[in-house]
Amino acid sequence: MSEVLLFQNINSIIQLIIAPVVLITSCSIFLNGLLTRYAAVNDRMRLLARERLKLGFAIHPDTPPSPLTVERLHQICYQLPQLLRRHNLLRDSVLIGYLAVLIFVADMFVIALAVFSSLDWIGGMVLIIFLIGVAMLFISTLLTLIEVWHSHRAVSYEIERVIGLENLGAPS
């Protein structure tokens, strides 16, 4: 009889631990995508900064820059601050996502403590810690949603500017 109770107790402990484990796995998949976006925005900022420097050094004080050079410099100067804001949003989202993973791991330790402790309040603590982890994951997802919205605006801006050029600087 005691073996059956022990088995049921172990089974219920495993079931308690499964929720944080599933969310840790979900966070890991989510963070992998976020880190890819973060690296892409980082690379794009570096490329634009390099292009800005190259265009700035290509302008000679004796000759006025071409209209295309001026337009491209304007686009870069407009886009770099936007990319930096997106980069900051992604950084915050990644950090909060990792914090969620940390909270879910801590929750697993509290679950183990609750199993070996006779204190009733630890069960409530498990739920509170779990919900804090879910809230962190929610905030991370919300920040990512905002960044994706800004991403669309940035691409739209550049495309609309390029479409509006209409042979600017092209030979006649």
Side-chain angles (χ1 to χ4, degrees):
M1 182 70 173
S2 67
E3 288 180 20
V4 171
L5 287 176
L6 179 64
F7 177 74
Q8 288 175 341
N9 193 21
I10 291 172
N11 192 24
S12 63
I13 293 168
I14 291 172
Q15 288 176 350
L16 284 173
I17 292 176
I18 285 177
V21 169
V22 168
L23 282 172
I24 288 170
T25 304
S26 298
C27 284
S28 298
I29 294 168
F30 179 67
L31 285 169
N32 188 34
L34 277 180
L35 288 172
T36 301
R37 289 187 68 79
Y38 187 69
V41 170
N42 183 51
D43 292 345
R44 179 72 173 144
M45 280 192 316
R46 289 180 183 272
L47 286 172
L48 282 177
R50 189 176 304 127
E51 184 181 354
R52 169 68 177 94
L53 285 172
K54 189 184 290 186
L55 287 173
F57 284 120
I59 297 174
H60 297 287
D62 300 339
T63 60
S66 74
L68 281 176
T69 300
V70 171
E71 172 61 26
R72 186 61 185 154
L73 284 170
H74 176 73
Q75 288 178 13
I76 291 171
C77 290
Y78 181 83
Q79 288 180 335
L80 277 174
Q82 288 185 339
L83 282 168
L84 187 57
R85 279 191 292 275
R86 287 179 51 208
H87 194 261
N88 288 336
L89 280 170
L90 285 168
R91 179 208 55 213
D92 293 346
S93 183
V94 167
L95 290 175
I96 292 171
Y98 277 118
L99 181 61
V101 170
L102 183 66
I103 290 170
F104 290 132
V105 170
D107 196 41
M108 291 168 60
F109 281 112
V110 175
I111 290 169
L113 181 65
V115 169
F116 295 113
S117 173
S118 60
L119 301 173
D120 292 335
W121 59 270
I122 293 181
M125 187 71 130
V126 167
L127 180 61
I128 290 170
I129 292 171
F130 182 80
L131 291 176
I132 291 171
V134 171
M136 293 295 106
L137 184 57
F138 176 79
I139 292 168
S140 179
T141 305
L142 185 62
L143 290 173
T144 305
L145 178 72
I146 293 167
E147 187 278 328
V148 168
W149 182 73
H150 284 295
S151 171
H152 173 74
R153 288 180 44 207
V155 170
S156 296
Y157 166 80
E158 187 167 1
I159 298 303
E160 288 170 9
R161 292 292 292 217
V162 169
I163 288 172
L165 289 178
E166 298 184 24
N167 298 331
L168 182 65
S172 304

